[in-house]
Amino acid sequence: MLINPTKMMTSIVGVLLYSQFVIGAIFENFSGLSIITFFAAAISIILIVYDRSINSNFVYIVLVANFIFFSSLLLSRFSAYSIDKFIFLVLKFSSMLVIGYAISGRSKLFFDSAVIPLYIFLIICFFSLSDSTMGVNNRLEVGLYNPIWISRHLLELFLICMFFLEKNKYFLIPIFSLCLIVTYYAGSKGGLAALAVTYIYFNLTNDKYKYRFLKELLIIFATVIILVYLYRSFDNSSYMIQRFLSVVPEGSSESIVNESRLVVWPRSISLLSDLDISEYLFGFGIGGFSEFYYGVDQGVKFYPHNIVIELVVEFGFIGASLFLWLLFFYVYKCRNIKESLMVVYFFTAAQFSGDLPL
């Protein structure tokens, strides 16, 4: 039986790309994990060339994105952080674009392989709970991965199983239960919000589900509001309330409070209104959020946990508009609605946590 090179390379890319979660979970001091993404991108380039499927839209997106990054670097202070962020952003963003383009139309085959390391990652995280002492300010961490990354990628696993692999409910319920348990201990709500938005997006863009879903959504929303109200009335200091229904948990240090979304987002919006026209249009350069926020470039990793604010501050209104337009253009050009779900999921998650390299 002859091996289909296209199928083989697609499967290898899936396993390779997601194997970094297993490696990072097991080897806490592992360095250079991002190189795996670049290897996956290299195989994807071979796959694209083999298929002779390069088109002008894809080349246009890659070139414009990297032009934005390079222009932003020229406007920066060229601190070590700015340079590192530029290099990592160019390589990772370009790699993910290449991988996304290469697997377009083959998403099921790709994710059939990708879920294997994600299942292993879920098992590792679940059994790590036995070594974890849960607390409002003491959340689950596994190997190299912090609570944000853990919840984001485990809920990504559920998203893949539900929409791309179309697993039945007898499979989805236990998988979602395990992902939800680990997410609870991780105490990160960004992934849950992103999953909810992606689910709504999928249903509203499918005429088959649209009207039935709207009724279900109203029922679910009303039920959640009632349950939250009842829960808060009984125990306002519980882990659930503090981690998932409070912006800043009680007992947080002063530095955590000052760098929280509750403080950083309103202050950033206020500072944006005071910028001169050149800063507003062109930004402070890549890695320049600390200069914008504190008035001096501290040369450290500091970001607002909101990709739109970060884009406007560092790339300016022009660069941010171009970058966001590229994302929407990519979603629009996806061959079917499912292939846009990952962009919607990660873009939504980036409104609550993480920085530009995601």
Side-chain angles (χ1 to χ4, degrees):
M1 181 178 178
L2 294 176
I3 297 175
N4 186 313
T6 298
K7 291 183 177 179
M8 182 183 69
M9 285 189 284
T10 302
S11 297
I12 290 174
V13 171
V15 172
L16 187 60
L17 182 64
Y18 285 87
S19 66
Q20 58 187 298
F21 300 116
V22 177
I23 296 171
I26 296 174
F27 302 103
E28 186 174 355
N29 297 317
F30 191 91
S31 59
L33 200 59
S34 297
I35 196 70
I36 294 175
T37 303
F38 309 146
F39 279 131
I43 297 173
S44 297
I45 291 173
I46 297 173
L47 180 58
I48 292 170
V49 173
Y50 180 83
D51 276 354
R52 297 188 177 95
S53 59
I54 300 176
N55 67 43
S56 57
N57 286 331
F58 169 68
V59 175
Y60 174 77
I61 290 173
V62 173
L63 290 176
V64 173
N66 283 284
F67 172 77
I68 295 170
F69 301 149
F70 183 72
S71 299
S72 182
L73 177 66
L74 294 178
L75 293 169
S76 73
R77 298 288 187 180
F78 286 92
S79 65
Y81 171 57
S82 295
I83 295 172
D84 288 345
K85 185 173 182 177
F86 166 76
I87 294 173
F88 187 68
L89 186 56
V90 167
L91 292 177
K92 185 169 184 180
F93 190 81
S94 298
S95 295
M96 294 308 295
L97 281 177
V98 168
I99 293 169
Y101 182 78
I103 67 166
S104 181
R106 307 185 186 95
S107 57
K108 188 178 186 307
L109 178 62
F110 171 80
F111 286 119
D112 271 332
S113 302
V115 291
I116 296 172
L118 281 175
Y119 289 146
I120 298 172
F121 182 58
L122 171 59
I123 293 169
I124 294 172
C125 291
F126 183 76
F127 282 102
S128 296
L129 296 179
S130 60
D131 300 324
S132 174
T133 303
M134 187 184 69
V136 172
N137 293 301
N138 184 30
R139 298 184 288 166
L140 176 68
E141 295 190 9
V142 179
L144 294 172
Y145 295 104
N146 62 35
I148 293 172
W149 282 90
I150 291 170
S151 63
R152 182 184 292 177
H153 291 293
L154 288 186
L155 293 172
E156 178 190 1
L157 168 61
F158 174 71
L159 181 78
I160 292 169
C161 290
M162 184 175 186
F163 293 115
F164 290 91
L165 305 184
E166 298 180 346
K167 300 289 187 179
N168 62 47
K169 63 182 179 181
Y170 301 107
F171 184 88
L172 289 175
I173 290 173
I175 284 291
F176 185 60
S177 299
L178 289 175
C179 292
L180 205 58
I181 290 170
V182 177
T183 297
Y184 176 77
Y185 279 84
S188 180
K189 45 191 174 282
L192 289 170
L195 182 64
V197 169
T198 306
Y199 180 72
I200 293 171
Y201 168 79
F202 174 77
N203 282 274
L204 292 182
T205 50
N206 282 268
D207 293 334
K208 179 180 178 181
Y209 304 106
K210 185 182 296 183
Y211 298 108
R212 184 184 69 185
F213 171 70
L214 287 174
K215 295 177 182 178
E216 293 175 352
L217 186 63
L218 289 173
I219 295 172
I220 293 171
F221 182 74
T223 303
V224 169
I225 293 296
I226 293 170
L227 290 175
V228 168
Y229 175 78
L230 291 174
Y231 195 87
R232 289 187 70 97
S233 65
F234 285 107
D235 188 1
N236 197 45
S237 62
S238 68
Y239 177 86
M240 171 68 82
I241 295 297
Q242 291 299 313
R243 282 266 46 121
F244 291 95
L245 299 174
S246 300
V247 180
V248 183
E250 293 178 1
S252 298
S253 66
E254 184 178 353
S255 62
I256 290 177
V257 173
N258 289 336
E259 294 182 3
S260 69
R261 298 157 184 80
L262 183 65
V263 174
V264 174
W265 289 0
R267 186 165 188 268
S268 296
I269 293 172
S270 176
L271 289 172
L272 281 170
S273 64
D274 296 330
L275 296 180
D276 61 42
I277 189 64
S278 63
E279 291 173 334
Y280 182 72
L281 291 177
F282 303 107
F284 285 75
I286 196 165
F289 187 80
S290 63
E291 180 183 0
F292 159 80
Y293 194 80
Y294 292 114
V296 59
D297 182 19
Q298 298 185 332
V300 296
K301 186 176 183 178
F302 180 58
Y303 49 90
H305 285 287
N306 181 283
I307 194 173
V308 173
I309 294 176
E310 188 175 359
L311 283 170
V312 172
V313 169
E314 298 193 1
F315 293 178
F317 179 77
I318 295 176
S321 299
L322 278 172
F323 186 84
L324 293 174
W325 180 81
L326 285 178
L327 287 180
F328 290 126
F329 181 74
Y330 181 83
V331 170
Y332 176 75
K333 286 294 182 180
C334 282
R335 296 179 187 177
N336 59 62
I337 195 64
K338 289 184 180 180
E339 293 182 355
S340 67
L341 292 179
M342 284 302 179
V343 178
V344 174
Y345 177 75
F346 282 104
F347 181 75
T348 305
Q351 304 311 311
F352 306 101
S353 57
D355 61 339
L356 276 175
L358 301 178

